Amino acid sequence: MSERHDITAVSGGRVREYLSEMGPSWVAGAIAAGPASMASLLTAGASYDYALLWVVVLSAVAGALSQYLAMRLGLLTERGVVGVVEDHLGEWWAWLLVVDVVLAAGVAQLVIMKTVASVSATITGTPAWVWGVVWALVLALGLAGRGYRLLELVAKLLVAGVVLAFAASLLVVPVDPGAAAAGLVPTLPANSALVAAGILGGAVHVTLITMHSYTMRARDWTREDYGLATFDVGVSMLGAFGVYSVAIFLVAASVLTDPSLGTVGAAQALGPLVGANAQWLFLLGLGGAAVSTLGGNTIVPPFVLADKLGWETDVSDARYRGLLAAVALLSAPGAFVGGAVLGQLVLVLALGTVGTPFAIAVVLYLLNSDAVPESNSAAANLGGIALLVVTGALAANFVREQLSGGFAPLAGAVLVFAVLVALATLGLLVQYARDRPTSGDAA
């Protein structure tokens, strides 16, 4: 090929055009900027003041890098990731990736619906279970009827609104600039490793990595759109998601002192502390984030399942449309789930993070194989390996935390899943070492 597709493909003279055309990475950003990430950020700020600000900034960088690698694979193959895996690794590997994604996204869907219903009930006074049914019907009718483009439009509007709401809340919250600056210096306070892992785990997640090839296909992006796609990742993950994360963290570090409040509780606590304006800005931001996350997460299982079954991954295929409606409607029971939402959000991050190293390993393997016309640069590979190491450590921490209470059924299920995914990841690395290409243009 005449030019190598790398991050330098972004052309400064085309920024205005890119701003009007970007979109797929905003759907991934809508999922990342959700209740689980918010719970980790609130816990970090309320527990350790500004000390973990550097982790918050790092999470945006890591999220952008993982999206960039997924984007690169999707554009260079111009196919969905599951189909590429089946062709180049085999059917067993493809099914394992599908199970990994469906399990992580399915559990998340129920907890996210619970958060959406709770926020809606807090704002309106209508019972949460009613909102669970309403939102499930809205999802089914909207997504199955209008498809991806409606979701992308809503995601861009909601994420932009959420970022503005949380950024505006900083204007009415007394942030300590000196302490915040000190928090940019890497340090881990005692007992903060798991919280830091949760922050990073919300930005680098198996669902975000696998969905990207399908959202780009929905926009008919090809290799010729490499610069646009790179710009899309940068503005969405580094820009919007970064501002979202930093704003929530700074609010929590500045005024909250109870790390057990949870997302809705934190919003309600701001009223007595710093006034109703901050409370309502935060609550509206939470509501927008939860709704956009719910919509984005809904499309992930249908994408991978339809691809594995050989169906089209858009609403022109009635089978895909049926899958989409089914996932939307099956999210309604989330509003009826009892228990503390913080613990459930930790479980969501645990399952997702346990499955993430395998997804990263798959993407790296394929980007350095004959599945793509040009292999990764050395810099992209180093970044991917760093992500693999970090997410592997996060997964180990989450599994250890789940098992700390003994071998309950839930902890045992997480352990079995973690062992299976770890063995698969190790097997993939061994297979790559054995079958590594001897030619190519890897830098």
Side-chain angles (χ1 to χ4, degrees):
M1 301 181 72
S2 60
E3 65 173 332
R4 196 178 170 83
H5 291 89
D6 215 325
I7 196 167
T8 52
V10 177
S11 170
R14 303 186 68 183
V15 168
R16 182 172 299 178
E17 177 187 342
Y18 288 167
L19 284 171
S20 65
E21 293 294 327
M22 63 183 180
S25 193
W26 285 77
V27 179
I31 298 178
S37 294
M38 188 180 297
S40 297
L41 293 164
L42 290 171
T43 301
S47 301
Y48 305 104
D49 295 327
Y50 298 95
L52 295 179
L53 180 56
W54 67 275
V55 179
V56 178
V57 175
L58 178 62
S59 73
V61 176
L65 176 58
S66 66
Q67 283 298 109
Y68 173 75
L69 292 173
M71 175 216 82
R72 183 171 169 78
L73 178 63
L75 285 187
L76 293 181
T77 60
E78 297 183 6
R79 296 182 59 196
V81 63
V82 172
V84 177
V85 169
E86 184 164 12
D87 285 353
H88 293 274
L89 289 172
E91 186 172 11
W92 186 89
W93 293 100
W95 272 119
L96 182 57
L97 182 60
V98 170
V99 171
D100 187 1
V101 173
V102 170
L103 181 60
V107 173
Q109 188 77 359
L110 295 175
V111 182
I112 296 166
M113 175 59 87
K114 177 178 179 177
T115 305
V116 171
S118 298
V119 173
S120 300
T122 301
I123 293 174
T124 66
T126 303
W129 70 266
V130 175
W131 279 111
V133 174
V134 169
W135 281 117
L137 289 173
V138 168
L139 282 176
L141 295 173
L143 295 179
R146 298 291 300 277
Y148 168 78
R149 293 304 293 263
L150 174 64
L151 174 64
E152 184 186 288
L153 174 62
V154 172
K156 286 193 285 188
L157 292 175
L158 284 178
V159 170
V162 165
V163 170
L164 288 175
F166 286 126
S169 68
L170 291 177
L171 300 177
V172 291
V173 170
V175 177
D176 183 338
L184 292 172
V185 179
T187 180
L188 279 177
N191 303 316
S192 66
L194 189 60
V195 177
I199 295 173
L200 285 168
V204 184
H205 197 274
V206 58
T207 55
L208 309 183
I209 295 168
T210 52
M211 74 180 293
H212 205 45
S213 60
Y214 300 100
T215 54
M216 291 189 300
R217 285 185 68 199
R219 289 290 301 273
D220 295 323
W221 283 4
T222 68
R223 298 171 200 172
E224 301 304 316
D225 299 295
Y226 200 96
L228 169 59
T230 305
F231 181 84
D232 188 39
V233 169
V235 174
S236 167
M237 294 302 294
L238 277 179
F241 178 73
V243 172
Y244 163 93
S245 301
V246 170
I248 293 173
F249 176 82
L250 290 178
V251 168
S254 299
V255 297
L256 296 179
T257 58
D258 184 355
S260 66
L261 283 172
T263 51
V264 177
Q268 293 172 325
L270 290 177
L273 292 172
V274 289
N277 288 336
Q279 174 184 338
W280 281 103
L281 281 170
F282 202 86
L283 194 58
L284 290 172
L286 168 59
V291 170
S292 63
T293 302
L294 182 67
N297 194 73
T298 301
I299 67 173
V300 179
F303 270 150
V304 295
L305 277 170
D307 192 14
K308 181 64 189 72
L309 295 172
W311 303 347
E312 294 298 325
T313 54
D314 60 63
V315 293
S316 64
D317 190 320
R319 297 166 297 182
Y320 170 79
R321 191 165 62 247
L323 272 178
L324 199 55
V327 172
L329 294 174
L330 288 173
S331 64
F336 298 86
V337 174
V341 72
L342 266 185
Q344 294 160 354
L345 288 171
V346 169
L347 173 61
V348 167
L349 285 178
L351 286 173
T353 304
V354 163
T356 297
F358 174 65
I360 294 174
V362 165
V363 170
L364 284 175
Y365 181 103
L366 294 172
L367 282 174
N368 288 279
S369 73
D370 60 2
V372 295
E374 57 186 50
S375 59
N376 256 0
S377 66
N381 278 333
L382 285 174
I385 292 170
L387 280 178
L388 187 60
V389 171
V390 169
T391 55
L394 299 184
N397 277 332
F398 275 126
V399 171
R400 183 181 62 187
E401 178 72 14
Q402 288 295 309
L403 295 177
S404 62
F407 283 88
L410 183 58
V414 173
L415 178 61
V416 170
F417 182 59
V419 170
L420 176 62
V421 173
L423 289 175
T425 304
L426 181 61
L428 192 62
L429 295 176
V430 170
Q431 181 169 322
Y432 176 73
R434 185 189 63 197
D435 302 333
R436 184 172 56 186
T438 56
S439 62
D441 60 351

